[in-house]
Amino acid sequence: MVNGSAISIISLTALTPSFLFFLTQLGEICRVARFMMLEIMHGTQPQHIPSRSLPYKSYVAYALQISKRLSYTSMPIFSLIRLILLSSLSLLLWISVSANTPYRKEVIEGLLGWVRLHTAGDKGGVFISSKRRIPYDEVTGYYIPTLIAIGEPTLAEQYGSYLLDAQLPDGSYGLPGTSFAFDTGMVVRGFIALNSRLPQESLLKQRLHLGLSKACNWLTNHIDSKTGRFIIPKDQWGLYDRGFVSEGIHLLILKPLLDCGAILQDDNIINAAQNMKSNFLRPSTVKELGLTNFEQRHMLTHFYAYIQEALVELGYLELAKQGMASVAKFQSSDGSVPAYSDVSWICTTGLAQLSMVWYRIGDTERADKSLKKVLALQNRGTAGFFGSTGANAAYFPDEEIS
């Protein structure tokens, strides 16, 4: 018969290798916890840690497994270790996020202050920029998911109500005199985020469904019969001697369009979005449009990052990684990336977007560096950002843009 002390010693002997291994993994758990939080802040449910063989839940399960085995003994030291193990993940999550990431409370509060200062009263949308104080429907739309994510539902609902009032009779959005598929798609993105948090009986939710129906039906009828993709507004998409904005940015419309079809249970909308996705992402079209090639004269980081973000959310992670590898070659040691592959100036907006995509594909080292650079470019007096910076900067260099 083996007494209790012997059982404890046997348990300790058996557990020591596992526990020591666990201790060696604390750094990895920090990284995992940090990735989890960054994904959550971007509105994505974390499922797998890129470049690692185990999903993050496996690390949680591993800690709990050791903890459970420790519970078989009554030795106080084991109870203490068990307590440490049970609390370690949440503690490390808090430490890693508060100490090692730039998502500090004061940064978010400063940015929110800028947004409020550049919003058209208590019923309007966000302005184009510090100099162009006209509500910009596109940006107002894709601000809504972020506002909800950081706990600002009132402003998100204000933006949603404003956009419903601003919707054109045909369901579209754009700039005065012209409707754009991209702008309309970004408003749909905002509507979907807002719809998910409203109760079924909400009057705003009912209005949202009507607005979604009008916008998404306009989108499904705004398709070029020759390409099977959205119509390109070339008159407005010129980049001077660099050609035109890549139509690849239209990929960012497809996920909201698919979600809209699901919410409205409209097969016509779903089928249109699926067909367009197939037309966009067949290998020949990816190559023709250069969706993963940053080294093209018309590929401003702002637009290029839109494409990579869309690839991620549509589930084309490997394509997105190819695209980000193309731009990673141009990242400097301070985290900056040139606005185009052949210039030295930085598009601040594009750099922030690239950082977000790097986080979402799990390349936190590049993401941290680029976001740190973005925050270094923030105007201290206003908390805003100029659209670009550096010699010969050419993207709203003297305006703080939304």
Side-chain angles (χ1 to χ4, degrees), residues 154-386:
T154 302
L155 187 54
E157 290 182 20
Q158 173 184 321
Y159 282 1
S161 296
Y162 157 75
L163 289 168
L164 288 167
D165 292 338
Q167 190 171 35
L168 295 175
D170 64 2
S172 66
Y173 292 87
L175 294 173
T178 308
S179 295
F180 300 112
F182 188 81
D183 295 42
T184 305
M186 297 308 99
V187 172
V188 168
R189 182 178 290 271
F191 283 171
I192 288 169
L194 195 54
N195 176 76
S196 66
R197 68 169 305 276
L198 295 174
Q200 201 61 42
E201 65 277 8
S202 165
L203 178 59
L204 180 56
K205 192 183 189 83
Q206 295 171 30
R207 292 186 66 205
L208 281 175
H209 280 212
L210 179 59
L212 279 169
S213 178
K214 291 171 64 178
C216 290
N217 278 293
W218 182 85
L219 284 168
T220 59
N221 289 299
H222 196 67
I223 297 173
D224 189 323
S225 59
K226 293 181 180 178
T227 64
R229 305 189 295 268
F230 290 116
I231 295 171
I232 304 171
K234 282 203 169 181
D235 290 344
Q236 292 80 22
W237 274 19
L239 294 171
Y240 305 103
D241 63 331
R242 289 186 174 273
F244 298 91
V245 174
S246 170
E247 68 169 296
I249 70 170
H250 279 156
L251 279 168
L252 204 59
I253 303 171
L254 298 186
K255 180 64 164 56
L257 193 58
L258 286 166
D259 291 343
C260 176
I263 290 170
L264 301 178
Q265 299 181 338
D266 189 321
D267 288 340
N268 289 330
I269 293 174
I270 293 172
N271 291 336
Q274 292 284 16
N275 289 337
M276 189 137 10
K277 184 168 76 167
S278 298
N279 289 331
F280 255 119
L281 294 173
R282 60 168 60 101
S284 59
T285 307
V286 170
K287 184 176 181 179
E288 174 195 345
L289 299 179
L291 298 181
T292 59
N293 180 13
F294 178 59
E295 297 179 63
Q296 300 173 87
R297 279 186 54 76
H298 67 297
M299 278 299 188
L300 180 69
T301 50
H302 174 41
F303 303 128
Y304 189 74
Y306 274 148
I307 297 169
Q308 309 315 309
E309 179 186 357
L311 290 173
V312 171
E313 70 178 16
L314 289 171
Y316 287 77
L317 187 59
E318 291 308 312
L319 268 183
K321 287 182 176 179
Q322 290 176 33
M324 294 306 289
S326 177
V327 75
K329 294 185 293 184
F330 295 88
Q331 187 177 36
S332 299
S333 58
D334 67 352
S336 62
V337 176
Y340 294 99
S341 62
D342 59 352
V343 301
S344 60
W345 56 274
I346 300 168
C347 172
T348 315
T349 306
L351 186 59
Q353 292 171 265
L354 290 174
S355 176
M356 180 185 69
V357 179
W358 269 317
Y359 279 126
R360 296 186 71 173
I361 66 173
D363 193 343
T364 55
E365 182 178 353
R366 288 190 183 280
D368 283 348
K369 286 168 60 177
S370 58
L371 192 53
K372 183 178 180 181
K373 179 63 177 181
V374 170
L375 292 175
L377 297 174
Q378 188 174 29
N379 297 324
R380 299 202 173 190
T382 63
F385 295 87
F386 292 130

Side-chain angles (χ1 to χ4, degrees), residues 79-140:
S79 297
L80 177 60
I81 293 172
R82 182 170 184 263
L83 178 62
I84 293 172
L85 286 169
L86 285 171
S87 61
S88 62
L89 286 174
S90 57
L91 178 62
L92 288 169
L93 176 63
W94 179 81
I95 292 172
S96 62
V97 170
S98 62
N100 297 323
T101 73
Y103 288 101
R104 297 185 299 273
K105 184 178 179 182
E106 62 268 26
V107 173
I108 294 176
E109 288 178 347
L111 293 171
L112 261 176
W114 188 96
V115 170
R116 293 185 187 283
L117 190 63
H118 293 82
T119 290
D122 59 1
K123 293 185 178 179
V126 69
F127 295 141
I128 294 175
S129 72
S130 55
K131 290 187 176 181
R132 307 183 198 197
R133 299 181 70 81
I134 303 168
Y136 196 4
D137 296 348
E138 171 203 323
V139 177
T140 301

Side-chain angles (χ1 to χ4, degrees), residues 62-73:
Y62 184 68
L64 292 176
Q65 179 184 22
I66 297 176
S67 174
K68 183 177 180 181
R69 291 166 66 187
L70 285 168
S71 69
Y72 294 149
T73 177

